[in-house]
């Protein structure tokens, strides 16, 4: 329970004069008057000319916590209850109402969910009380709800009516979709804090652990802060950090490196080396991002609309054991993913008839890699993540943006015009069986008896009858889009072919490649006519080009893999170099787990930036 004290100023004439009480804020926050229902910012002055009674609550800014009062109420932590009678307010004196707030709140209080509706006739945002989900509240704590646009230009206090929280907008300065909820309350540890939806970035990126690769970059001062913003109220505007494509139509390596922020210096240097090995034409994909983040703590790589940046896993860049040792080497690909199913999906790239690359987790701690061993996997990863970025903000829409917008609001505003929405509307995936399987594999949903009974042949035939390029396409329309783009560009720029296959689960605990019997598989699935049509629909918008025939024509015809034999034996029968067993065996189950974690992370990051938006009007 919070301690609440009543200060009778008659007992403390020296410390409180009654005429003027200015609000003095140290940090970021406000003061809320419980009786008046008003919020008071730094510099507001209470001119007290009559008997005054009020209970004043500290309201930290979102992501902040309350440290304590100064001067008035400095003996307590919690509400400041004031009573000022006539004999005091008649005196000519001034004592500030001071409050201190601390940033980087990481406590137990969390805003988990709420439903939001909009009444156009009354210009009121509505949150049903029973839809609000908070975690980490102190027992008996009463949360205080507010809504505001990201720049806090107007803050609206909730009122309660008939089971709803109501927020009537004071003006038409902002649209209803610009408002976000924030909640102030006492958490289970007794700390007064304010939370909004968080984007889940705090565990992977923090500004204090990042540094700009280029110290002379025009954006050096804001990069780390902008890419680590973890709630809607901390997000940078496009004036502070614009999309790269708003500055140049032809990004160069120096342009990209000026937008790169790293946790360790070697990561930026290695990233520049990789970019130098990539086709110059491919760099135009960076138009769709505001920044590139490379960190020892990012796992796995992802793109998020809150910052408009891509976040890269340094595991994909190390060459030496010393560099590897700086990375958080958490084995997140060894979970129980799909362990109860009777089918394994193996999807990877080949050069000729052999794997095009090996993944970083397959190397021993003492091993060293060459630069050419990481260029293809890194370029493939960039094709995928930058496809997400250019889907969320297509190049053709960049001129429509306002510098006062945030990437979060800008991408939301154009979301109905994106390639992935067009793909879902014109060529939706049809297989209900594979959509359910996608929920099991990529969302962790419990497997039904139908899912548990599926064989690799069942999955392969369902996949063949639909028009996806990858099993991962059945996670979201965004993944569906990115996989089409990735496969076409990886073939066009590097001449690599993509394998999609479904395998038996081996009986042994430590199987070799031949024990994974292939029951269905193809090379270059995207070349199949119906799949190619889907790629053709979106590729031009992603690349910002009208003529995309050369990309699609670079993909050879789809070819079936021989079935009923081991995976490696089946690959051996493709045209290519003389077959020899690779020094490192890509275990199909680990490969599937690896990609499933990536897909799940992409979905989570997208969903976290879409929460709290207005639903259908009431």
């Amino acid at each position: 329970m919070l301690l609440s004290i009543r200060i009778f100023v008659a007992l403390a004439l020296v410390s409180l004069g009654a005429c003027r009480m200015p609000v003095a804020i140290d940090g970021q926050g406000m003061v809320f008057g419980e009786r008046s229902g008003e919020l008071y910012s730094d510099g507001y002055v209470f001119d007290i000319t009559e008997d005054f009674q009020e209970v004043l609550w500290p309201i930290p800014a979102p992501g902040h916590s309350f440290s304590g009062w100064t001067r008035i109420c400095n003996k307590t932590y919690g509400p400041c209850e004031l009573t000022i009678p006539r004999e005091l307010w008649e005196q000519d004196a001034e004592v500030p109402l001071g409050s201190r707030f601390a940033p980087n709140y990481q406590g137990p209080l969390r805003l988990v969910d709420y439903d939001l509706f909009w009444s156009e006739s009354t210009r009121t945002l509505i949150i049903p009380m029973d839809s609000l989900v908070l975690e980490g509240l102190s027992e008996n704590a009463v949360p205080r709800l507010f809504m505001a646009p990201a720049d806090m230009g107007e803050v609206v206090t909730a009122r309660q009516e008939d089971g709803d929280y109501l927020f009537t907008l004071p003006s038409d300065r902002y649209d209803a979709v610009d408002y976000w909820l924030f909640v102030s309350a006492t958490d289970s540890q007794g700390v007064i804090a304010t939370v909004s939806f968080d984007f889940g970035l705090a565990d992977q990126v923090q500004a204090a652990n990042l540094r700009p690769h280029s110290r002379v970059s025009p954006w050096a001062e804001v990069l780390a802060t902008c890419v680590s913003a973890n709630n809607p109220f901390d997000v940078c505007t496009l004036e502070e950090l614009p999309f790269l494509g708003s500055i140049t139509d032809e990004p160069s390596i120096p342009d990209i490196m000026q937008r790169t922020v790293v946790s360790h210096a070697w990561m930026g240097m290695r990233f520049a080396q990789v970019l130098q090995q990539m086709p110059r034409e491919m760099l135009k994909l960076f138009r769709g991002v505001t920044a590139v983040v490379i960190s020892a703590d990012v796992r796995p790589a992802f793109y998020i609309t809150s910052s408009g940046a891509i976040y890269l896993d340094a595991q994909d860049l190390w060459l030496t054991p010393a560099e590897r040792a700086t990375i958080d080497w958490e084995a997140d690909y060894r979970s129980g993913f799909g362990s109860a199913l009777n089918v394994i999906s193996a999807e990877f790239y080949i050069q000729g008839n052999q794997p095009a690359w090996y993944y970083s987790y397959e190397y021993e701690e003492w091993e060293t890699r060459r630069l050419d061993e990481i260029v293809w996997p890194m370029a493939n990863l960039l094709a995928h993540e930058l496809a997400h970025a250019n889907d969320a903000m297509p190049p053709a829409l960049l001129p429509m943006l306002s510098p006062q917008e945030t990437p979060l609001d800008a991408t939301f505003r154009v979301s109905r015009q994106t390639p992935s929405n067009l793909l879902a509307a014109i060529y939706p995936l049809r297989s209900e069986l594979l959509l359910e399987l996608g929920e099991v594999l990529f969302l962790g949903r419990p497997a039904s008896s139908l899912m548990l009974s599926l064989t690799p042949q069942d999955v392969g035939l369902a996949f063949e009858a639909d028009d996806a390029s990858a099993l991962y396409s059945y996670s979201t329309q965004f993944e569906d889009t990115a996989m089409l783009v990735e496969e076409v560009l990886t073939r066009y720029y590097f001449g690599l072919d993509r394998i999609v296959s479904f395998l038996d689960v081996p009986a042994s605990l430590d199987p070799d490649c031949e024990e994974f019997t292939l029951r269905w598989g193809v090379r270059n699935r995207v070349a199949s006519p119906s799949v190619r049509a889907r790629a053709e629909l979106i590729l031009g918008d992603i690349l910002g080009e009208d003529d995309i025939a050369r990309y699609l024509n670079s993909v050879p015809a789809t070819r079936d893999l021989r079935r009923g034999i081991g995976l490696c034996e089946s690959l051996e029968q493709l045209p290519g170099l003389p077959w020899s067993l690779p020094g490192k065996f890509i275990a199909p189950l680990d490969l599937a787990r690896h990609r499933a974690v990536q897909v799940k992370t992409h979905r989570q990051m997208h969903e976290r930036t879409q929460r709290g938006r207005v639903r259908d009007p009431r």
Side-chain angles (χ1 to χ4, degrees):
M1 294 290 292
L2 291 174
L3 292 176
S4 175
I5 67 170
R6 176 168 299 178
I7 297 184
F8 288 95
V9 191
L11 303 178
L13 284 175
V14 174
S15 57
L16 178 61
C19 253
R20 294 173 301 281
M21 186 172 65
V23 175
I25 304 294
D26 180 3
Q28 296 186 39
M30 297 169 286
V31 174
F32 176 67
E34 191 172 83
R35 296 175 186 268
S36 68
E38 298 289 336
L39 282 166
Y40 305 104
S41 300
D42 183 53
Y44 180 86
V45 178
F46 288 91
D47 287 316
I48 302 170
T49 58
E50 59 185 5
D51 289 356
F52 180 86
Q53 285 189 320
E54 183 59 280
V55 179
L56 298 167
W57 279 86
I59 305 295
H64 291 64
S65 60
F66 176 59
S67 299
W69 300 104
T70 60
R71 301 293 293 273
I72 303 172
C73 293
N74 63 359
K75 301 296 185 183
T76 188
Y77 183 89
C80 178
E81 188 172 350
L82 295 179
T83 298
I84 303 176
R86 181 187 183 100
E87 59 268 24
L88 296 177
W89 59 256
E90 284 185 333
Q91 300 186 31
D92 184 13
E94 176 177 300
V95 176
L97 175 68
S99 56
R100 292 181 291 110
F101 300 99
N104 303 318
Y105 173 73
Q106 300 292 330
L109 185 63
R110 290 184 60 240
L111 174 58
V112 178
D113 197 15
Y114 63 90
D115 294 334
L116 182 63
F117 301 90
W118 168 243
S119 171
E120 180 68 41
S121 60
T122 62
R123 291 193 52 76
T124 300
L125 289 161
I126 304 162
I127 297 177
M129 291 182 183
D130 59 6
S131 75
L132 179 68
V133 181
L134 292 166
E135 290 182 352
L137 274 174
S138 172
E139 187 178 0
N140 300 322
V142 177
R144 288 166 175 80
L145 278 64
F146 308 90
M147 294 202 78
D151 64 3
M152 300 287 282
E154 288 180 347
V155 181
V156 185
T157 304
R159 69 181 193 277
Q160 298 182 28
E161 184 177 306
D162 298 330
D164 291 326
Y165 294 109
L166 306 179
F167 306 82
T168 300
L169 305 190
S171 71
D172 58 2
R173 180 182 169 193
Y174 298 92
D175 293 333
V177 295
D178 294 331
Y179 283 81
W180 295 88
L181 177 69
F182 63 95
V183 180
S184 186
T186 304
D187 70 18
S188 57
Q189 297 176 354
V191 175
I192 297 175
T194 299
V195 293
S196 183
F197 276 141
D198 74 72
F199 303 135
L201 292 176
D203 292 338
Q204 303 202 56
V205 288
Q206 295 185 9
N209 299 331
L210 298 174
R211 67 194 78 170
H213 171 74
S214 171
R215 296 181 183 274
V216 297
S217 166
W219 297 277
E221 296 297 321
V222 301
L223 272 171
T225 301
C226 291
V227 301
S228 57
N230 199 36
N231 70 65
F233 298 97
D234 289 340
V235 174
C236 292
T237 67
L238 294 175
E239 183 174 32
E240 295 171 291
L241 189 63
F243 286 103
L244 188 50
S246 295
I247 304 300
T248 176
D249 288 331
E250 298 288 340
S252 65
I253 293 176
D255 293 330
I256 297 166
M257 298 312 300
Q258 285 188 345
R259 301 298 190 96
T260 299
V261 62
V262 299
S263 63
H264 295 75
W266 70 263
M267 298 172 186
M269 293 186 289
R270 184 62 34 68
F271 184 56
Q273 291 175 331
V274 170
L275 294 179
Q276 289 163 3
Q277 301 300 311
M278 289 168 48
R280 176 70 176 78
E281 183 186 8
M282 194 174 175
L283 300 183
K284 65 190 171 192
L285 288 168
F286 285 91
R287 290 178 296 187
V289 298
T290 61
V292 178
V293 182
I294 311 171
S295 171
D297 298 318
V298 169
R299 181 97 351 91
F302 61 90
Y303 162 80
I304 191 169
T305 58
S306 60
S307 65
I310 57 170
Y311 297 73
L312 303 179
D313 184 349
Q315 282 191 9
D316 298 314
L317 286 169
W318 66 268
L319 295 185
T320 69
E323 291 170 351
R324 177 180 173 137
T326 66
I327 302 169
D328 176 15
W329 208 257
E330 181 182 352
D332 57 1
Y333 307 131
R334 304 299 194 271
S335 65
F337 152 81
S339 58
L341 300 178
N342 294 315
V343 56
I344 297 173
S345 65
E347 304 190 17
F348 54 94
Y349 286 87
I350 59 173
Q351 182 189 30
N353 59 10
Q354 300 194 42
W357 62 76
Y358 301 103
Y359 292 90
S360 59
Y361 60 81
E362 297 177 281
Y363 290 82
E364 299 295 339
E365 293 183 15
W366 49 265
E367 288 190 87
T368 297
R369 298 193 292 186
R370 303 184 311 272
L371 181 63
D372 62 3
E373 292 181 81
I374 69 170
V375 171
W376 282 352
M378 226 12 242
N380 173 257
L381 175 66
L382 287 171
H384 187 95
E385 299 305 331
L386 293 171
H388 282 303
N390 287 277
D391 176 35
M393 182 50 64
L397 301 184
L398 287 169
M400 299 170 49
L401 306 184
S402 164
Q404 281 67 52
E405 288 184 288
T406 67
L408 183 62
D409 288 334
T411 52
F412 181 78
R413 181 168 59 82
V414 305
S415 59
R416 294 184 179 180
Q417 305 172 57
T418 58
S420 57
N421 265 351
L422 181 65
L423 181 67
I426 303 298
Y427 294 127
L429 296 177
R430 304 179 304 278
S431 175
E432 294 296 330
L433 183 143
L434 295 181
L435 288 168
E436 182 180 347
L437 181 61
E439 291 188 346
V440 174
L441 294 177
F442 310 126
L443 291 181
R445 300 280 173 82
S448 66
S449 57
L450 173 61
M451 293 295 103
L452 294 174
S453 70
L454 289 177
T455 66
Q457 296 96 320
D458 296 331
V459 176
L461 292 174
F463 186 79
E464 185 174 8
D466 207 354
D467 301 324
S469 64
L471 187 60
Y472 314 122
S473 301
Y474 292 94
S475 59
T476 68
Q477 67 187 55
F478 314 105
E479 206 65 33
D480 187 16
T481 300
M483 291 307 303
L484 289 165
V485 174
E486 171 200 313
E487 183 171 350
V488 172
L489 295 187
T490 302
R491 174 64 204 191
Y492 175 76
Y493 286 120
F494 305 104
L496 304 177
D497 301 307
R498 191 168 189 277
I499 296 294
V500 182
S501 63
F502 302 106
L503 317 173
D504 282 337
V505 177
S508 63
L509 296 178
D510 188 22
D512 62 29
C513 189
E514 295 307 325
E515 293 181 70
F516 291 90
T517 303
L518 187 145
R519 298 300 180 184
W520 189 97
V522 297
R523 182 189 70 177
N524 298 325
R525 166 76 170 171
V526 77
S528 300
S530 61
V531 184
R532 174 182 166 130
R534 301 179 82 238
E536 187 174 9
L537 179 70
I538 59 163
L539 192 59
D541 289 339
I542 295 285
L543 298 178
E545 298 182 27
D546 294 327
D547 184 6
I548 57 170
R550 69 183 187 278
Y551 298 102
L552 296 167
N553 292 339
S554 72
V555 185
T558 302
R559 175 170 176 160
D560 289 340
L561 301 182
R562 184 178 172 185
R563 301 165 191 180
I565 59 177
L567 173 62
C568 288
E569 185 180 355
S570 182
L571 291 178
E572 182 181 355
Q573 298 185 15
L574 291 172
L577 302 173
W579 178 263
S580 61
L581 288 177
K584 294 179 176 65
F585 165 51
I586 301 179
L589 187 53
D590 285 346
L591 179 64
R593 288 169 173 165
H594 177 106
R595 197 52 184 264
V597 172
Q598 291 178 313
V599 172
K600 183 177 180 180
T601 300
H602 288 164
R603 181 164 184 154
Q604 287 175 338
M605 291 302 176
H606 177 78
E607 290 178 345
R608 286 168 179 167
T609 59
Q610 300 305 303
R611 297 178 300 176
R613 297 291 191 178
V614 176
R615 297 194 177 188
D616 295 333
R618 284 193 171 185

